[in-house]
Amino acid sequence: MTNNYELYKVFYWAAKTGSLTQAAKSLYLTQPSVSHAIKQLEESFGLTLFYRTSKGVALTQEGSILYSYIEQSQILISLAEEKMAALKNLDSGELRIGGSDSLFKHYLLPYLEDFHQKHPSIRLHLNHGTTPEVITFLKEGRIDLGVVRMPIVDSQLEVRESIQLQDCFVAGSRYAELKGVVLTMDLLLQYPVILFSRNSRARMAISEIFQNYGYNLKPEIEVGSVDLLIEFARRGLGISYVTREFVTKELEEGSLFEVQLDVELPPAHVGLMTIRNMPLSSSASKFIEYVK
């Protein structure tokens, strides 16, 4: 094989686009060159990697296995190129962070504001998602670091713990009779409970706590943002499960109060997540220093 990398690159683009013509365009090659490269690769393995379809080409089972490895290598090569470009000029580039809307708004915002003022030439890209989505973003090379709730158990990832949060149940004036009362889980479940609709760490954690005591925490209302959890509780639609630090203003002004449970709810820990043993971009390293 004359140049393994070039052949794998051709294979990658043919598999990605499902078309030899598109692969040739992407790589500035002729279609016969692409066909020849794939043939060389197939001969070297003694396996058929593609079969022809009416629309182009599709991977065989063996081809799919090879693609799963080659795709990772292409992501790493793209990351390496980006890192080199960032190293060339420390005052340019971008910082890509993944996290939930609530963590961006209530936790990261002051750090982002400070960072942007001191490094205005570095572009900020915020990718919103749940913890599982942020982990995917990081592994696919779409972000430099993620802000997530812990624990994260994944040997590919490194998490630097930064702050501790406390989740709690809150309600508005409509449920004023519960103020100062310590509720059992059974009694709480007699009221409409409002939870975050997506598969967030906070929701998984509270559902697990209730399950451990033999209860099924089934919300009457599910919403798609922390802001709606807060607003629905304020308007008396039910009892919301939120992070206490995100409702300090509402608790202080009295538009919400904390609903006490007879069970202790463990604190949550938030950390900055990166790929283990992978060098960080200069902008990501600088930002982590700000948060520390």
Side-chain angles (χ1 to χ4, degrees), residues 107 145-146 148 150 158-163 270-275 278 280 285 288 291-292:
Y107 166 49
L145 57 95
V148 289
M150 299 164 72
E158 182 179 341
V159 186
R160 300 161 176 83
E161 187 179 326
S162 55
I163 61 160
V270 171
L272 296 176
M273 175 178 67
T274 55
I275 295 285
M278 184 73 71
L280 286 168
S285 296
I288 287 173
V291 177
K292 280 181 181 175

Side-chain angles (χ1 to χ4, degrees), residues 70 91 124 126 154 176 202-203 223 230 235 252 290:
I70 300 300
D91 293 323
L124 295 176
L126 304 183
D154 190 318
R203 171 151 182 184
V223 297
I230 296 168
R235 289 173 181 261
E252 284 170 9
Y290 275 69

Side-chain angles (χ1 to χ4, degrees), residues 137-158:
F137 294 160
L138 192 60
K139 288 184 175 181
E140 289 180 352
R142 290 159 63 185
I143 57 174
D144 300 304
L145 57 95
V147 184
V148 289
R149 283 178 176 245
M150 299 164 72
I152 301 294
V153 183
D154 190 318
S155 59
Q156 286 181 267
L157 305 173
E158 182 179 341

Side-chain angles (χ1 to χ4, degrees), residues 71-82:
E71 184 182 29
Q72 289 300 309
S73 70
Q74 287 298 315
I75 289 169
L76 288 173
I77 288 166
S78 296
L79 281 173
E81 289 172 349
E82 286 173 19

